[in-house]
Structure formats: C-alpha cells, structure tokens
Amino acid sequence: MQRPQEYTAIFENVEVYNEKFTHLHFELKNPFRINFKAGQFVSIKVNDDGVRRAYSICSDPDIDHGIEILLDTDPQGIGVKYLQNLKLGEEVSFHGPMGRFVIEDGADEESLVLVGTGSGVAPLHSMVVDQLKNKDDKRPITLYWGLRYAAHLVWQDEFSRWAKTFPNFKFHPTLSKAEKEWSLCRGRVTNCLQVHDLPPNAGYYLCGGKAMIDDVKKLLIDRGVDPKKIHHEKFF
Amino acid sequence: MKYKISVDKDKCIGAASCIGIAPKTFKLEDDVALVVDQAGDDQDAQLLAAQSCPTGAIKITDQETGEQLWPKK
C-alpha cells in the first residue's frame, strides 16, 4: 500500500446536499496525482497549529487528480468549521492516503455487505463505485445506510441507478426516525440486519460510530459470521 | 530533543493513521495502537503521526524539557 504523503490541493467545488451533509471537491496541485484505495481517508490540516482531522474519501479511486469528501456538518467541530469557511480556490493541505479499511482483491469473500451510518457511507460510496464500475465485480454487493431522517439522504438517485445498472447491487437505506409513508427499512441498521438473510461467506465492511460498529459486530457474530470477515472503520 | 511518545488506549479507535505515517514507531494490536520503538522513525514523521490521529490519542513530550509538544496545551 502506498505510503501517505503531503498534498496541497485547491478547493474546487462544494455542494450543500442538505442541512446535514455537504460534498466537497479538491483538485490536487502538488503532487497532482493520488493513488488511493476505496475506503481510505486523508488527514486535512485544519489550523496553523497543525491540528488535523480525518475524512474518508468518497470519490472514485479511478479519478486520480482530485479527491471528494462528504462532510457531516452536525458536530460543528474545528474541522467542520474550517471546511465550511473555505473559499473556492483556496489551498488546503492534507496527508494521505491512509487506512486499511479496504476491500482486498482476491479475498475469499463470496459477497460483500457494506454497513454505514451517517457520514460512514462516504468510504462505502467509494467502494461501491470501485467494485461495480472499475473492477466489474459480479459478487452480490449490499449496502445498508442508517440515518435518522429521509431528508438527510444523499446519493439516492445514484444508488438507485447503480441498482438498475448492476443487478448484483442492492441498497437498503434505513431510517430511525422515518415518516409514516417510508416503506423501506426502519429503525437502526441492526434491526434491518437482524431480519434479513445474510449471504453465506460474505465479507462485512462497517463504517460509523463506535456503538454501531460494536452492535453490528455482535449481531453478526451471534448470527454465525466469522469475526475475521468483519472489517471496520470507526468514526468517533 | 528526544521525544517520549505515548498512546491513550481509551482514545484510540484503531484508525491506524499513525502506522501509515510512522510504521516503525507504532503498531496495531487488538485494534489499538502501541508504541513499539520510541525512535523508530524520524521525529517529523512521529509528530505528523500524532497530528494525524483523529482522536488526539498520541501524546509527544520533549524528554529533556518535559514540554508537551502534542497535543498543544
């Protein structure tokens, strides 16, 4: 795996998806190419004291001249404030790519189950596009994404389009505070995983808060999944 | 200047950014980072590893002066 290095990049584009999520795009300046694996993250310098914050890359690893991240603006910590105050065209500094939360080529996993909550969907988005589009992966790939409200969902059209284009891909958005008319999964992702059939010999990739990771791991192990097949990235 | 590096196990979430940057200083055991060699990498890499920790779990102190270099107080 590539050793992380320092990059400078230009803040190229921003899209405020909704009150919770904002999508940011950075074009690399120096070096101007990056070789990352889907699921990895970068560490962005967010003040002059050298404080850094980690953000998963949500973009297609095939695009090597820039990176995109999905920002959860709820916490309003030092990193969010820095990124929200960036002006288009400004330069940022980050270190990366980092992280071992990746789908290994050749792993003995007959299907993939990706489980994310909140902005934990970001690395999974990168993984899905990489497996389906770049690697032509024909294994069943199921994405569970847990959120509170339907109003916070993003990339729905994209996920739906992928599900139509790639019959091996399924998407299960799961809402814990769903409106009456919501007809898909309700509750936490564990509620959904508890009642769904689990594919045999699957690899599980979990990304989100520590409590979710712990709960899902316990559920999967209780349902007979080999702990070695459970991979995770904890956001705090 | 000689660094003393420590990892707060309660804060560490196993993101492994420190290992990516300073692989001879840190290793991951049971999803928690450990210091395996206080002088395993150059000090710039060690400081960057501490700065890159998403939870601020890595503390670096100047052994000679006792000054805490990271996280900054």
Side-chain angles (χ1 to χ4, degrees):
Chain A
M1 201 167 285
Q2 184 192 353
R3 283 288 301 274
Q5 59 179 315
E6 197 69 33
Y7 286 85
T8 53
I10 303 297
F11 179 35
E12 186 77 14
N13 196 23
V14 60
E15 193 172 352
V16 178
Y17 284 145
N18 53 50
E19 63 181 4
K20 186 174 176 66
F21 292 117
T22 295
H23 179 254
L24 298 99
H25 175 182
F26 301 92
E27 275 296 302
L28 300 180
K29 184 179 175 188
N30 185 32
F32 62 95
R33 292 276 184 267
I34 187 168
N35 176 21
F36 68 93
K37 289 195 168 192
Q40 289 194 293
F41 65 92
V42 294
S43 178
I44 300 178
K45 189 176 170 187
V46 297
N47 71 11
D48 291 336
D49 286 340
V51 173
R52 290 166 178 271
R53 287 291 180 266
Y55 295 95
S56 289
I57 305 170
C58 66
S59 45
D60 180 348
D62 218 24
I63 299 169
D64 65 358
H65 52 81
I67 59 159
E68 296 168 26
I69 61 172
L70 182 69
L71 185 68
D72 180 349
T73 60
D74 264 354
Q76 281 297 310
I78 186 172
V80 171
K81 285 179 180 168
Y82 167 77
L83 291 168
Q84 282 188 314
N85 287 325
L86 270 180
K87 305 276 186 294
L88 290 176
E90 278 191 290
E91 207 168 272
V92 299
S93 173
F94 70 83
H95 208 81
M98 286 182 273
R100 305 168 307 144
F101 181 63
V102 298
I103 297 172
E104 292 297 343
D105 295 333
D108 180 24
E109 295 169 346
E110 293 173 12
S111 55
L112 303 174
V113 179
L114 317 179
V115 185
T117 51
S119 57
V121 74
L124 307 181
H125 179 271
S126 182
M127 286 176 172
V128 171
V129 70
D130 192 39
Q131 296 302 126
L132 293 175
K133 184 177 79 69
N134 302 339
K135 296 180 175 167
D136 194 25
D137 193 338
K138 301 296 186 197
R139 291 177 291 181
I141 299 173
T142 307
L143 171 63
Y144 292 89
W145 184 22
L147 279 170
R148 288 199 182 97
Y149 305 104
H152 292 165
L153 283 164
V154 302
W155 296 326
Q156 260 185 306
D157 290 348
E158 196 173 356
F159 288 139
S160 299
R161 194 171 63 247
W162 290 349
K164 282 181 187 162
T165 308
F166 303 98
N168 56 322
F169 175 64
K170 286 190 174 61
F171 173 49
H172 294 294
T174 305
L175 300 181
S176 60
K177 294 185 186 299
E179 302 287 338
K180 276 184 188 170
E181 57 269 22
W182 181 256
S183 59
L184 303 174
C185 288
R186 286 171 177 270
R188 297 183 182 275
V189 284
T190 41
N191 297 114
C192 217
L193 288 163
Q194 185 69 57
V195 295
H196 284 194
D197 289 335
L198 300 181
N201 302 318
Y204 293 83
Y205 294 80
L206 322 179
C207 188
K210 183 177 183 303
M212 181 281 276
I213 303 269
D214 292 345
D215 289 348
V216 172
K217 275 177 87 171
K218 182 177 184 312
L219 181 149
L220 294 175
I221 291 167
D222 286 349
R223 292 197 66 187
V225 173
D226 180 350
K228 288 179 188 161
K229 301 287 187 187
I230 305 172
H231 318 271
H232 62 75
E233 185 83 293
K234 285 178 188 167
F235 287 5
F236 55 100
Chain B
M1 191 189 306
K2 194 175 174 191
Y3 283 179
K4 179 175 176 11
I5 306 165
S6 60
V7 177
D8 184 335
K9 290 182 181 178
D10 293 332
K11 282 187 179 176
C12 178
I13 56 170
S17 50
C18 55
I19 291 139
I21 296 168
K24 293 176 182 168
T25 303
F26 301 95
K27 77 166 184 177
L28 212 57
E29 198 169 276
D30 295 331
D31 276 344
V32 173
L34 302 173
V35 177
V36 289
D37 184 350
Q38 292 282 342
D41 297 273
D42 66 64
Q43 292 187 332
D44 285 348
Q46 291 176 328
L47 183 59
L48 187 58
Q51 291 172 335
S52 293
C53 176
T55 60
I58 300 170
K59 186 163 92 174
I60 298 184
T61 309
D62 180 342
Q63 279 197 335
E64 290 158 13
T65 65
E67 181 190 0
Q68 184 173 310
L69 302 172
W70 196 265
K72 285 190 177 174
K73 283 187 173 175

